[in-house]
Amino acid sequence: MRIGIYGGSFNPIHRGHTQLAASIVEQGLVDELWLLVSPLNPLKSGEVSDIAEYEHRLKMAELATEGIQGVKVSDFERHLPLPSYTVKTLAALREAYPEHEFVLVIGADNWERFPRWYRADEIIEKYRILVYRRPGCEMDETVLPSSVQVVETPLYDVSSTEIRASVKKGRMMRRWLDSRVARYIKEKGLYL
Ligand code: ATP
């Protein structure tokens, strides 16, 4: 099977993440999309002080994706040495599941920063990458490597940062949060 790998801190997961994931699967770009909850993003550590515990982020991802056809949550990176660099994660996935083809799914915001990723050239050389558009991110599609494909998905103008800030102010942004996730955040007292 072609498995899309969609990684992030998902702190917390929001409808931008889940609708994007569903759209990638619905368009038949991959057979399944695995949402990889990362223990700690090497580029973000130090930036985000209000990172919820891994168990919470994983649980919220499971709640939000329940019933979405073809979208699964994976804790694969939890068992890998830190920091969880994508190139290492992809290699470990290939080894663990030789029967699958793994395709990296990233936003245009991450594609802009991609040259800074650890062993970026190796990722481009060894894997297919699907890049979806993000607001305010222009891509020069004339110079993309052959392994990179731009995919059309709706734009969702929301971020986990905005959600955490609003929770702190006592608002839940229910438009962008799955109701089960909103309830979980409230029950556990996250992001206060
Ligand atoms: P934060 O605000 O904490 O930086 P985030 O909302 O960007 O978080 P991440 O967990 O970093 O979420 O994102 C995981 C992946 O989802 C990243 O590849 C990111 O580009 C993408 N992503 C984030 N927000 C959206 C969105 N609104 N629509 C589509 N993709 C998104």
Side-chain angles (χ1 to χ4, degrees), residues 6-21 36 38 41 44 47-48 50-51 57 105-111 113 117 132-135 153-164 176:
Y6 179 43
S9 45
F10 302 106
N11 183 39
I13 190 164
H14 52 63
R15 287 196 214 279
H17 298 133
T18 50
Q19 290 181 21
L20 182 277
L36 235 67
S38 77
N41 177 339
K44 278 189 181 176
E47 256 174 58
V48 183
D50 51 353
I51 184 127
R57 291 183 287 120
V105 178
I106 60 172
D109 52 335
N110 273 322
W111 178 248
R113 286 187 294 239
W117 282 27
Y132 58 89
R133 300 184 193 283
R134 292 300 312 276
T153 53
L155 296 178
Y156 312 101
D157 200 0
V158 61
S159 71
S160 299
T161 303
E162 283 171 73
I163 295 197
R164 292 193 301 274
W176 289 110

Side-chain angles (χ1 to χ4, degrees), residues 1-5 25 30-34 70-72 100:
M1 278 203 290
R2 284 166 310 157
I3 311 289
I5 293 300
V25 175
V30 294
D31 300 306
E32 271 184 7
L33 191 124
W34 294 2
V71 177
K72 305 203 166 152
H100 294 322

Side-chain angles (χ1 to χ4, degrees), residues 105-124:
V105 178
I106 60 172
D109 52 335
N110 273 322
W111 178 248
E112 275 180 354
R113 286 187 294 239
F114 201 76
R116 281 168 51 204
W117 282 27
Y118 181 63
R119 284 157 53 186
D121 291 346
E122 186 180 333
I123 302 177
I124 291 171

Side-chain angles (χ1 to χ4, degrees), residues 160-172:
S160 299
T161 303
E162 283 171 73
I163 295 197
R164 292 193 301 274
S166 78
V167 170
K168 200 166 272 172
K169 288 188 209 140
R171 284 182 283 115
M172 264 304 169

Side-chain angles (χ1 to χ4, degrees), residues 24-134:
I24 298 276
V25 175
E26 277 163 20
Q27 292 185 53
L29 293 161
V30 294
D31 300 306
E32 271 184 7
L33 191 124
W34 294 2
L35 204 144
L36 235 67
V37 180
S38 77
L40 211 124
N41 177 339
L43 293 181
K44 278 189 181 176
S45 59
E47 256 174 58
V48 183
S49 56
D50 51 353
I51 184 127
E53 277 171 35
Y54 192 81
E55 288 305 329
H56 290 319
R57 291 183 287 120
L58 191 71
K59 182 70 192 165
M60 290 188 284
E62 281 165 356
L63 290 171
T65 54
E66 216 177 271
I68 305 181
Q69 186 73 25
V71 177
K72 305 203 166 152
V73 173
S74 167
D75 69 346
F76 189 80
E77 283 191 329
R78 169 200 267 181
H79 310 292
L80 299 179
L82 285 170
S84 39
Y85 289 117
T86 301
V87 70
K88 296 199 169 179
T89 301
L90 288 169
L93 280 165
R94 262 191 184 171
E95 200 178 321
Y97 303 95
E99 70 277 27
H100 294 322
E101 180 203 352
F102 291 98
V103 179
L104 186 62
V105 178
I106 60 172
D109 52 335
N110 273 322
W111 178 248
E112 275 180 354
R113 286 187 294 239
F114 201 76
R116 281 168 51 204
W117 282 27
Y118 181 63
R119 284 157 53 186
D121 291 346
E122 186 180 333
I123 302 177
I124 291 171
E125 203 178 292
K126 292 187 175 165
Y127 301 88
R128 285 207 299 130
I129 306 177
L130 303 181
V131 181
Y132 58 89
R133 300 184 193 283
R134 292 300 312 276

